[in-house]
PDB file of all heavy atoms in Angstrom:
ATOM      1  N   ASN A  45      82.567 138.624 123.678  1.00 97.00           N
ATOM      2  CA  ASN A  45      82.041 137.843 122.550  1.00 97.00           C
ATOM      3  C   ASN A  45      80.711 137.183 122.908  1.00 97.00           C
ATOM      4  O   ASN A  45      80.259 136.271 122.221  1.00 97.00           O
ATOM      5  CB  ASN A  45      83.035 136.761 122.140  1.00 97.00           C
ATOM      6  CG  ASN A  45      84.382 137.339 121.747  1.00 97.00           C
ATOM      7  OD1 ASN A  45      84.443 138.286 120.971  1.00 97.00           O
ATOM      8  ND2 ASN A  45      85.455 136.788 122.288  1.00 97.00           N
ATOM      9  N   TYR A  47      77.728 137.456 122.286  1.00 98.00           N
ATOM     10  CA  TYR A  47      76.945 138.213 121.305  1.00 98.00           C
ATOM     11  C   TYR A  47      75.447 138.241 121.566  1.00 98.00           C
ATOM     12  O   TYR A  47      74.750 139.168 121.167  1.00 98.00           O
ATOM     13  CB  TYR A  47      77.171 137.646 119.897  1.00 98.00           C
ATOM     14  CG  TYR A  47      78.607 137.743 119.442  1.00 98.00           C
ATOM     15  CD1 TYR A  47      79.313 136.600 119.089  1.00 98.00           C
ATOM     16  CD2 TYR A  47      79.250 138.962 119.363  1.00 98.00           C
ATOM     17  CE1 TYR A  47      80.636 136.674 118.668  1.00 98.00           C
ATOM     18  CE2 TYR A  47      80.568 139.049 118.946  1.00 98.00           C
ATOM     19  CZ  TYR A  47      81.252 137.898 118.595  1.00 98.00           C
ATOM     20  OH  TYR A  47      82.548 137.982 118.189  1.00 98.00           O
ATOM     21  N   PHE A 103      84.716 119.309 122.863  1.00 98.00           N
ATOM     22  CA  PHE A 103      85.972 119.500 123.591  1.00 98.00           C
ATOM     23  C   PHE A 103      85.746 120.520 124.701  1.00 98.00           C
ATOM     24  O   PHE A 103      84.726 121.181 124.742  1.00 98.00           O
ATOM     25  CB  PHE A 103      87.063 120.028 122.634  1.00 98.00           C
ATOM     26  CG  PHE A 103      87.489 119.061 121.567  1.00 98.00           C
ATOM     27  CD1 PHE A 103      86.654 118.774 120.493  1.00 98.00           C
ATOM     28  CD2 PHE A 103      88.735 118.446 121.630  1.00 98.00           C
ATOM     29  CE1 PHE A 103      87.053 117.882 119.493  1.00 98.00           C
ATOM     30  CE2 PHE A 103      89.144 117.559 120.641  1.00 98.00           C
ATOM     31  CZ  PHE A 103      88.301 117.272 119.570  1.00 98.00           C
ATOM     32  N   SER A 104      86.783 120.684 125.555  1.00 98.00           N
ATOM     33  CA  SER A 104      86.615 121.611 126.672  1.00 98.00           C
ATOM     34  C   SER A 104      86.677 123.077 126.240  1.00 98.00           C
ATOM     35  O   SER A 104      86.239 123.951 126.976  1.00 98.00           O
ATOM     36  CB  SER A 104      87.667 121.341 127.742  1.00 98.00           C
ATOM     37  OG  SER A 104      88.944 121.396 127.156  1.00 98.00           O
ATOM     38  N   ALA A 105      87.223 123.346 125.049  1.00 98.00           N
ATOM     39  CA  ALA A 105      87.292 124.717 124.548  1.00 98.00           C
ATOM     40  C   ALA A 105      87.468 124.689 123.032  1.00 98.00           C
ATOM     41  O   ALA A 105      87.854 123.652 122.467  1.00 98.00           O
ATOM     42  CB  ALA A 105      88.458 125.465 125.185  1.00 98.00           C
ATOM     43  N   GLY A 106      87.207 125.826 122.404  1.00 98.00           N
ATOM     44  CA  GLY A 106      87.486 125.934 120.980  1.00 98.00           C
ATOM     45  C   GLY A 106      88.971 125.751 120.708  1.00 98.00           C
ATOM     46  O   GLY A 106      89.373 125.143 119.718  1.00 98.00           O
ATOM     47  N   PHE A 107      89.793 126.317 121.607  1.00 98.00           N
ATOM     48  CA  PHE A 107      91.245 126.206 121.427  1.00 98.00           C
ATOM     49  C   PHE A 107      91.669 124.731 121.422  1.00 98.00           C
ATOM     50  O   PHE A 107      92.447 124.286 120.570  1.00 98.00           O
ATOM     51  CB  PHE A 107      91.979 126.977 122.544  1.00 98.00           C
ATOM     52  CG  PHE A 107      93.385 127.375 122.167  1.00 98.00           C
ATOM     53  CD1 PHE A 107      93.681 128.682 121.812  1.00 98.00           C
ATOM     54  CD2 PHE A 107      94.408 126.442 122.141  1.00 98.00           C
ATOM     55  CE1 PHE A 107      94.968 129.043 121.444  1.00 98.00           C
ATOM     56  CE2 PHE A 107      95.698 126.795 121.773  1.00 98.00           C
ATOM     57  CZ  PHE A 107      95.980 128.105 121.422  1.00 98.00           C
ATOM     58  N   ALA A 108      91.117 123.983 122.377  1.00 98.00           N
ATOM     59  CA  ALA A 108      91.454 122.556 122.467  1.00 98.00           C
ATOM     60  C   ALA A 108      90.902 121.792 121.257  1.00 98.00           C
ATOM     61  O   ALA A 108      91.464 120.757 120.865  1.00 98.00           O
ATOM     62  CB  ALA A 108      90.891 121.973 123.761  1.00 98.00           C
ATOM     63  N   THR A 109      89.837 122.281 120.667  1.00 98.00           N
ATOM     64  CA  THR A 109      89.284 121.638 119.473  1.00 98.00           C
ATOM     65  C   THR A 109      90.274 121.774 118.312  1.00 98.00           C
ATOM     66  O   THR A 109      90.642 120.788 117.660  1.00 98.00           O
ATOM     67  CB  THR A 109      87.930 122.266 119.086  1.00 98.00           C
ATOM     68  OG1 THR A 109      87.083 122.290 120.241  1.00 98.00           O
ATOM     69  CG2 THR A 109      87.255 121.480 117.979  1.00 98.00           C
ATOM     70  N   ALA A 110      90.720 123.002 118.077  1.00 98.00           N
ATOM     71  CA  ALA A 110      91.637 123.245 116.955  1.00 98.00           C
ATOM     72  C   ALA A 110      92.949 122.480 117.126  1.00 98.00           C
ATOM     73  O   ALA A 110      93.434 121.832 116.198  1.00 98.00           O
ATOM     74  CB  ALA A 110      91.920 124.748 116.825  1.00 98.00           C
ATOM     75  N   LEU A 129      95.140 135.086 108.375  1.00 96.00           N
ATOM     76  CA  LEU A 129      94.544 135.664 109.579  1.00 96.00           C
ATOM     77  C   LEU A 129      93.881 134.625 110.484  1.00 96.00           C
ATOM     78  O   LEU A 129      93.138 134.980 111.391  1.00 96.00           O
ATOM     79  CB  LEU A 129      93.537 136.758 109.208  1.00 96.00           C
ATOM     80  CG  LEU A 129      94.114 138.002 108.525  1.00 96.00           C
ATOM     81  CD1 LEU A 129      93.048 139.091 108.420  1.00 96.00           C
ATOM     82  CD2 LEU A 129      95.340 138.541 109.257  1.00 96.00           C
ATOM     83  N   CYS A 130      94.192 133.349 110.250  1.00 97.00           N
ATOM     84  CA  CYS A 130      93.601 132.316 111.105  1.00 97.00           C
ATOM     85  C   CYS A 130      93.987 132.519 112.568  1.00 97.00           C
ATOM     86  O   CYS A 130      95.086 132.951 112.886  1.00 97.00           O
ATOM     87  CB  CYS A 130      94.040 130.928 110.648  1.00 97.00           C
ATOM     88  SG  CYS A 130      93.016 130.245 109.330  1.00 97.00           S
ATOM     89  N   HIS A 131      93.069 132.161 113.437  1.00 97.00           N
ATOM     90  CA  HIS A 131      93.227 132.250 114.892  1.00 97.00           C
ATOM     91  C   HIS A 131      94.444 131.448 115.379  1.00 97.00           C
ATOM     92  O   HIS A 131      94.801 130.425 114.793  1.00 97.00           O
ATOM     93  CB  HIS A 131      91.952 131.690 115.526  1.00 97.00           C
ATOM     94  CG  HIS A 131      91.841 131.893 117.003  1.00 97.00           C
ATOM     95  ND1 HIS A 131      92.153 130.914 117.907  1.00 97.00           N
ATOM     96  CD2 HIS A 131      91.418 132.958 117.732  1.00 97.00           C
ATOM     97  CE1 HIS A 131      91.925 131.355 119.138  1.00 97.00           C
ATOM     98  NE2 HIS A 131      91.479 132.600 119.059  1.00 97.00           N
ATOM     99  N   ALA A 132      95.034 131.906 116.471  1.00 96.00           N
ATOM    100  CA  ALA A 132      96.222 131.259 117.042  1.00 96.00           C
ATOM    101  C   ALA A 132      96.022 129.757 117.257  1.00 96.00           C
ATOM    102  O   ALA A 132      96.946 128.960 117.053  1.00 96.00           O
ATOM    103  CB  ALA A 132      96.573 131.928 118.374  1.00 96.00           C
ATOM    104  N   SER A 133      94.833 129.358 117.659  1.00 98.00           N
ATOM    105  CA  SER A 133      94.595 127.931 117.932  1.00 98.00           C
ATOM    106  C   SER A 133      94.728 127.092 116.662  1.00 98.00           C
ATOM    107  O   SER A 133      95.199 125.948 116.711  1.00 98.00           O
ATOM    108  CB  SER A 133      93.209 127.736 118.552  1.00 98.00           C
ATOM    109  OG  SER A 133      92.194 128.204 117.686  1.00 98.00           O
ATOM    110  N   LEU A 134      94.324 127.652 115.532  1.00 98.00           N
ATOM    111  CA  LEU A 134      94.415 126.927 114.254  1.00 98.00           C
ATOM    112  C   LEU A 134      95.876 126.854 113.809  1.00 98.00           C
ATOM    113  O   LEU A 134      96.345 125.819 113.310  1.00 98.00           O
ATOM    114  CB  LEU A 134      93.561 127.626 113.185  1.00 98.00           C
ATOM    115  CG  LEU A 134      92.071 127.729 113.515  1.00 98.00           C
ATOM    116  CD1 LEU A 134      91.373 128.713 112.581  1.00 98.00           C
ATOM    117  CD2 LEU A 134      91.399 126.359 113.443  1.00 98.00           C
ATOM    118  N   THR A 177      90.276 127.668 107.332  1.00 98.00           N
ATOM    119  CA  THR A 177      89.909 129.078 107.351  1.00 98.00           C
ATOM    120  C   THR A 177      88.846 129.300 108.419  1.00 98.00           C
ATOM    121  O   THR A 177      88.380 128.361 109.051  1.00 98.00           O
ATOM    122  CB  THR A 177      89.420 129.558 105.968  1.00 98.00           C
ATOM    123  OG1 THR A 177      89.289 130.985 105.989  1.00 98.00           O
ATOM    124  CG2 THR A 177      88.082 128.954 105.591  1.00 98.00           C
ATOM    125  N   GLU A 178      88.516 130.562 108.647  1.00 98.00           N
ATOM    126  CA  GLU A 178      87.417 130.898 109.550  1.00 98.00           C
ATOM    127  C   GLU A 178      86.265 131.381 108.685  1.00 98.00           C
ATOM    128  O   GLU A 178      86.484 131.809 107.558  1.00 98.00           O
ATOM    129  CB  GLU A 178      87.856 132.020 110.516  1.00 98.00           C
ATOM    130  CG  GLU A 178      88.994 131.573 111.408  1.00 98.00           C
ATOM    131  CD  GLU A 178      89.507 132.660 112.354  1.00 98.00           C
ATOM    132  OE1 GLU A 178      88.789 133.637 112.629  1.00 98.00           O
ATOM    133  OE2 GLU A 178      90.648 132.522 112.802  1.00 98.00           O
ATOM    134  N   SER A 179      85.047 131.329 109.195  1.00 98.00           N
ATOM    135  CA  SER A 179      83.953 131.862 108.384  1.00 98.00           C
ATOM    136  C   SER A 179      83.824 133.362 108.622  1.00 98.00           C
ATOM    137  O   SER A 179      83.670 134.143 107.698  1.00 98.00           O
ATOM    138  CB  SER A 179      82.648 131.132 108.663  1.00 98.00           C
ATOM    139  OG  SER A 179      82.271 131.242 110.011  1.00 98.00           O
ATOM    140  N   VAL A 180      83.929 133.778 109.892  1.00 98.00           N
ATOM    141  CA  VAL A 180      84.012 135.196 110.245  1.00 98.00           C
ATOM    142  C   VAL A 180      85.326 135.368 110.987  1.00 98.00           C
ATOM    143  O   VAL A 180      85.595 134.649 111.947  1.00 98.00           O
ATOM    144  CB  VAL A 180      82.832 135.620 111.150  1.00 98.00           C
ATOM    145  CG1 VAL A 180      83.086 136.996 111.743  1.00 98.00           C
ATOM    146  CG2 VAL A 180      81.521 135.613 110.364  1.00 98.00           C
ATOM    147  N   PHE A 181      86.149 136.300 110.537  1.00 98.00           N
ATOM    148  CA  PHE A 181      87.485 136.440 111.115  1.00 98.00           C
ATOM    149  C   PHE A 181      87.453 137.259 112.404  1.00 98.00           C
ATOM    150  O   PHE A 181      86.825 138.319 112.460  1.00 98.00           O
ATOM    151  CB  PHE A 181      88.444 137.037 110.080  1.00 98.00           C
ATOM    152  CG  PHE A 181      88.855 135.997 109.082  1.00 98.00           C
ATOM    153  CD1 PHE A 181      88.054 135.706 107.995  1.00 98.00           C
ATOM    154  CD2 PHE A 181      90.005 135.260 109.265  1.00 98.00           C
ATOM    155  CE1 PHE A 181      88.402 134.705 107.094  1.00 98.00           C
ATOM    156  CE2 PHE A 181      90.363 134.255 108.382  1.00 98.00           C
ATOM    157  CZ  PHE A 181      89.556 133.981 107.286  1.00 98.00           C
ATOM    158  N   SER A 182      88.181 136.749 113.404  1.00 95.00           N
ATOM    159  CA  SER A 182      87.985 137.229 114.770  1.00 95.00           C
ATOM    160  C   SER A 182      88.467 138.658 115.000  1.00 95.00           C
ATOM    161  O   SER A 182      87.941 139.339 115.863  1.00 95.00           O
ATOM    162  CB  SER A 182      88.651 136.277 115.757  1.00 95.00           C
ATOM    163  OG  SER A 182      90.028 136.167 115.490  1.00 95.00           O
ATOM    164  N   MET A 183      89.459 139.112 114.276  1.00 95.00           N
ATOM    165  CA  MET A 183      89.971 140.457 114.516  1.00 95.00           C
ATOM    166  C   MET A 183      89.571 141.445 113.422  1.00 95.00           C
ATOM    167  O   MET A 183      89.751 142.647 113.563  1.00 95.00           O
ATOM    168  CB  MET A 183      91.507 140.433 114.647  1.00 95.00           C
ATOM    169  CG  MET A 183      91.971 139.691 115.877  1.00 95.00           C
ATOM    170  SD  MET A 183      91.320 140.403 117.410  1.00 95.00           S
ATOM    171  CE  MET A 183      90.866 138.926 118.296  1.00 95.00           C
ATOM    172  N   ASP A 207      86.352 127.247 110.777  1.00 98.00           N
ATOM    173  CA  ASP A 207      86.103 127.614 112.171  1.00 98.00           C
ATOM    174  C   ASP A 207      85.006 128.680 112.198  1.00 98.00           C
ATOM    175  O   ASP A 207      85.212 129.799 111.730  1.00 98.00           O
ATOM    176  CB  ASP A 207      87.409 128.128 112.794  1.00 98.00           C
ATOM    177  CG  ASP A 207      87.286 128.412 114.282  1.00 98.00           C
ATOM    178  OD1 ASP A 207      86.152 128.474 114.797  1.00 98.00           O
ATOM    179  OD2 ASP A 207      88.344 128.575 114.928  1.00 98.00           O
ATOM    180  N   GLU A 208      83.865 128.310 112.766  1.00 98.00           N
ATOM    181  CA  GLU A 208      82.697 129.213 112.793  1.00 98.00           C
ATOM    182  C   GLU A 208      82.554 129.926 114.141  1.00 98.00           C
ATOM    183  O   GLU A 208      81.444 130.344 114.512  1.00 98.00           O
ATOM    184  CB  GLU A 208      81.421 128.412 112.487  1.00 98.00           C
ATOM    185  CG  GLU A 208      81.366 127.823 111.077  1.00 98.00           C
ATOM    186  CD  GLU A 208      80.344 128.525 110.181  1.00 98.00           C
ATOM    187  OE1 GLU A 208      80.173 129.751 110.321  1.00 98.00           O
ATOM    188  OE2 GLU A 208      79.736 127.825 109.352  1.00 98.00           O
ATOM    189  N   ALA A 209      83.669 130.073 114.871  1.00 98.00           N
ATOM    190  CA  ALA A 209      83.611 130.646 116.228  1.00 98.00           C
ATOM    191  C   ALA A 209      82.749 131.906 116.324  1.00 98.00           C
ATOM    192  O   ALA A 209      81.966 132.058 117.254  1.00 98.00           O
ATOM    193  CB  ALA A 209      85.025 130.936 116.735  1.00 98.00           C
ATOM    194  N   HIS A 210      82.899 132.811 115.338  1.00 98.00           N
ATOM    195  CA  HIS A 210      82.194 134.095 115.436  1.00 98.00           C
ATOM    196  C   HIS A 210      80.949 134.160 114.562  1.00 98.00           C
ATOM    197  O   HIS A 210      80.394 135.234 114.359  1.00 98.00           O
ATOM    198  CB  HIS A 210      83.150 135.234 115.083  1.00 98.00           C
ATOM    199  CG  HIS A 210      84.262 135.356 116.056  1.00 98.00           C
ATOM    200  ND1 HIS A 210      84.130 135.984 117.277  1.00 98.00           N
ATOM    201  CD2 HIS A 210      85.530 134.860 116.033  1.00 98.00           C
ATOM    202  CE1 HIS A 210      85.270 135.897 117.942  1.00 98.00           C
ATOM    203  NE2 HIS A 210      86.130 135.218 117.211  1.00 98.00           N
ATOM    204  N   MET A 236      83.917 123.501 112.552  1.00 98.00           N
ATOM    205  CA  MET A 236      84.361 123.651 113.925  1.00 98.00           C
ATOM    206  C   MET A 236      83.791 124.922 114.517  1.00 98.00           C
ATOM    207  O   MET A 236      83.453 125.855 113.790  1.00 98.00           O
ATOM    208  CB  MET A 236      85.893 123.724 113.890  1.00 98.00           C
ATOM    209  CG  MET A 236      86.572 123.650 115.205  1.00 98.00           C
ATOM    210  SD  MET A 236      88.219 124.407 115.110  1.00 98.00           S
ATOM    211  CE  MET A 236      87.981 125.624 116.400  1.00 98.00           C
ATOM    212  N   GLY A 237      83.697 124.974 115.839  1.00 98.00           N
ATOM    213  CA  GLY A 237      83.239 126.211 116.468  1.00 98.00           C
ATOM    214  C   GLY A 237      83.359 126.136 117.969  1.00 98.00           C
ATOM    215  O   GLY A 237      83.962 125.205 118.514  1.00 98.00           O
ATOM    216  N   THR A 238      82.777 127.131 118.627  1.00 98.00           N
ATOM    217  CA  THR A 238      82.898 127.212 120.076  1.00 98.00           C
ATOM    218  C   THR A 238      81.534 127.513 120.693  1.00 98.00           C
ATOM    219  O   THR A 238      80.681 128.137 120.072  1.00 98.00           O
ATOM    220  CB  THR A 238      83.935 128.290 120.468  1.00 98.00           C
ATOM    221  OG1 THR A 238      83.936 128.436 121.877  1.00 98.00           O
ATOM    222  CG2 THR A 238      83.651 129.626 119.847  1.00 98.00           C
ATOM    223  N   PHE A 239      81.369 127.044 121.915  1.00 98.00           N
ATOM    224  CA  PHE A 239      80.173 127.379 122.709  1.00 98.00           C
ATOM    225  C   PHE A 239      80.459 128.591 123.594  1.00 98.00           C
ATOM    226  O   PHE A 239      79.629 128.991 124.396  1.00 98.00           O
ATOM    227  CB  PHE A 239      79.783 126.186 123.597  1.00 98.00           C
ATOM    228  CG  PHE A 239      79.566 124.904 122.837  1.00 98.00           C
ATOM    229  CD1 PHE A 239      80.294 123.762 123.138  1.00 98.00           C
ATOM    230  CD2 PHE A 239      78.623 124.835 121.813  1.00 98.00           C
ATOM    231  CE1 PHE A 239      80.095 122.581 122.441  1.00 98.00           C
ATOM    232  CE2 PHE A 239      78.420 123.653 121.097  1.00 98.00           C
ATOM    233  CZ  PHE A 239      79.154 122.520 121.416  1.00 98.00           C
ATOM    234  N   SER A 240      81.663 129.155 123.457  1.00 98.00           N
ATOM    235  CA  SER A 240      82.111 130.206 124.378  1.00 98.00           C
ATOM    236  C   SER A 240      81.695 131.602 123.949  1.00 98.00           C
ATOM    237  O   SER A 240      81.903 132.559 124.690  1.00 98.00           O
ATOM    238  CB  SER A 240      83.641 130.192 124.494  1.00 98.00           C
ATOM    239  OG  SER A 240      84.173 128.919 124.266  1.00 98.00           O
ATOM    240  N   LYS A 241      81.175 131.730 122.745  1.00 98.00           N
ATOM    241  CA  LYS A 241      80.863 133.074 122.264  1.00 98.00           C
ATOM    242  C   LYS A 241      79.355 133.283 122.263  1.00 98.00           C
ATOM    243  O   LYS A 241      78.795 133.564 123.308  1.00 98.00           O
ATOM    244  CB  LYS A 241      81.565 133.301 120.945  1.00 98.00           C
ATOM    245  CG  LYS A 241      83.055 133.502 121.270  1.00 98.00           C
ATOM    246  CD  LYS A 241      84.049 133.327 120.197  1.00 98.00           C
ATOM    247  CE  LYS A 241      85.449 133.459 120.815  1.00 98.00           C
ATOM    248  NZ  LYS A 241      86.507 132.949 119.992  1.00 98.00           N
ATOM    249  N   LEU A 245      78.621 130.189 126.995  1.00 98.00           N
ATOM    250  CA  LEU A 245      79.117 129.169 127.932  1.00 98.00           C
ATOM    251  C   LEU A 245      80.594 128.917 127.655  1.00 98.00           C
ATOM    252  O   LEU A 245      81.350 129.858 127.506  1.00 98.00           O
ATOM    253  CB  LEU A 245      78.265 127.901 127.785  1.00 98.00           C
ATOM    254  CG  LEU A 245      76.808 128.117 128.252  1.00 98.00           C
ATOM    255  CD1 LEU A 245      75.884 127.076 127.676  1.00 98.00           C
ATOM    256  CD2 LEU A 245      76.748 128.107 129.773  1.00 98.00           C
ATOM    257  N   SER A 246      81.022 127.657 127.593  1.00 98.00           N
ATOM    258  CA  SER A 246      82.371 127.386 127.124  1.00 98.00           C
ATOM    259  C   SER A 246      82.450 125.958 126.620  1.00 98.00           C
ATOM    260  O   SER A 246      81.659 125.097 127.020  1.00 98.00           O
ATOM    261  CB  SER A 246      83.419 127.640 128.212  1.00 98.00           C
ATOM    262  OG  SER A 246      83.317 126.673 129.216  1.00 98.00           O
ATOM    263  N   GLY A 247      83.408 125.729 125.729  1.00 98.00           N
ATOM    264  CA  GLY A 247      83.550 124.426 125.095  1.00 98.00           C
ATOM    265  C   GLY A 247      83.659 124.587 123.593  1.00 98.00           C
ATOM    266  O   GLY A 247      83.394 125.671 123.066  1.00 98.00           O
ATOM    267  N   GLY A 248      84.108 123.526 122.917  1.00 98.00           N
ATOM    268  CA  GLY A 248      84.242 123.585 121.467  1.00 98.00           C
ATOM    269  C   GLY A 248      83.640 122.352 120.822  1.00 98.00           C
ATOM    270  O   GLY A 248      83.373 121.358 121.504  1.00 98.00           O
ATOM    271  N   TYR A 249      83.412 122.431 119.510  1.00 98.00           N
ATOM    272  CA  TYR A 249      82.837 121.289 118.799  1.00 98.00           C
ATOM    273  C   TYR A 249      83.451 121.158 117.423  1.00 98.00           C
ATOM    274  O   TYR A 249      83.970 122.137 116.866  1.00 98.00           O
ATOM    275  CB  TYR A 249      81.309 121.430 118.643  1.00 98.00           C
ATOM    276  CG  TYR A 249      80.912 122.553 117.702  1.00 98.00           C
ATOM    277  CD1 TYR A 249      80.864 122.360 116.312  1.00 98.00           C
ATOM    278  CD2 TYR A 249      80.633 123.830 118.193  1.00 98.00           C
ATOM    279  CE1 TYR A 249      80.537 123.392 115.452  1.00 98.00           C
ATOM    280  CE2 TYR A 249      80.302 124.867 117.334  1.00 98.00           C
ATOM    281  CZ  TYR A 249      80.259 124.645 115.960  1.00 98.00           C
ATOM    282  OH  TYR A 249      79.947 125.677 115.115  1.00 98.00           O
ATOM    283  N   ILE A 315      81.636 141.980 114.843  1.00 98.00           N
ATOM    284  CA  ILE A 315      82.978 142.475 115.169  1.00 98.00           C
ATOM    285  C   ILE A 315      83.298 143.663 114.278  1.00 98.00           C
ATOM    286  O   ILE A 315      83.324 143.530 113.050  1.00 98.00           O
ATOM    287  CB  ILE A 315      84.033 141.369 114.928  1.00 98.00           C
ATOM    288  CG1 ILE A 315      83.704 140.144 115.779  1.00 98.00           C
ATOM    289  CG2 ILE A 315      85.439 141.888 115.220  1.00 98.00           C
ATOM    290  CD1 ILE A 315      84.440 138.892 115.330  1.00 98.00           C
ATOM    291  N   ARG A 356      88.755 147.215 118.667  1.00 97.00           N
ATOM    292  CA  ARG A 356      87.864 146.130 118.243  1.00 97.00           C
ATOM    293  C   ARG A 356      86.590 146.226 119.065  1.00 97.00           C
ATOM    294  O   ARG A 356      86.574 145.948 120.255  1.00 97.00           O
ATOM    295  CB  ARG A 356      88.527 144.776 118.451  1.00 97.00           C
ATOM    296  CG  ARG A 356      87.633 143.579 118.109  1.00 97.00           C
ATOM    297  CD  ARG A 356      88.396 142.293 118.373  1.00 97.00           C
ATOM    298  NE  ARG A 356      87.680 141.083 118.016  1.00 97.00           N
ATOM    299  CZ  ARG A 356      86.974 140.347 118.884  1.00 97.00           C
ATOM    300  NH1 ARG A 356      86.831 140.741 120.132  1.00 97.00           N
ATOM    301  NH2 ARG A 356      86.396 139.236 118.490  1.00 97.00           N
TER     302      ARG A 356
HETATM  303  C1  LIG B   1      87.744 132.272 120.362  1.00 56.43           C
HETATM  304  C2  LIG B   1      88.206 131.470 119.210  1.00 56.43           C
HETATM  305  C3  LIG B   1      88.653 130.163 119.381  1.00 56.43           C
HETATM  306  C4  LIG B   1      88.841 129.567 120.741  1.00 56.43           C
HETATM  307  O1  LIG B   1      87.631 129.202 121.323  1.00 56.43           O
HETATM  308  P1  LIG B   1      87.546 129.102 122.910  1.00 56.43           P
HETATM  309  O2  LIG B   1      86.302 128.329 123.135  1.00 56.43           O
HETATM  310  O3  LIG B   1      87.491 130.479 123.424  1.00 56.43           O
HETATM  311  O4  LIG B   1      88.772 128.359 123.358  1.00 56.43           O
HETATM  312  C5  LIG B   1      88.984 129.432 118.260  1.00 56.43           C
HETATM  313  N1  LIG B   1      88.892 129.967 117.020  1.00 56.43           N
HETATM  314  C6  LIG B   1      88.497 131.241 116.837  1.00 56.43           C
HETATM  315  C7  LIG B   1      88.419 131.785 115.451  1.00 56.43           C
HETATM  316  C8  LIG B   1      88.150 132.030 117.911  1.00 56.43           C
HETATM  317  O5  LIG B   1      87.789 133.297 117.731  1.00 56.43           O
END
Side-chain angles (χ1 to χ4, degrees):
N45 302 312
Y47 298 121
F103 293 73
S104 55
F107 203 104
T109 309
L129 295 189
C130 275
H131 189 261
S133 60
L134 300 166
T177 190
E178 297 178 20
S179 60
V180 168
F181 283 83
S182 59
M183 293 301 137
D207 186 346
E208 295 251 35
H210 295 280
M236 190 203 123
T238 174
F239 304 123
S240 332
K241 286 161 185 163
L245 293 160
S246 70
Y249 68 84
I315 302 164
R356 177 181 183 264

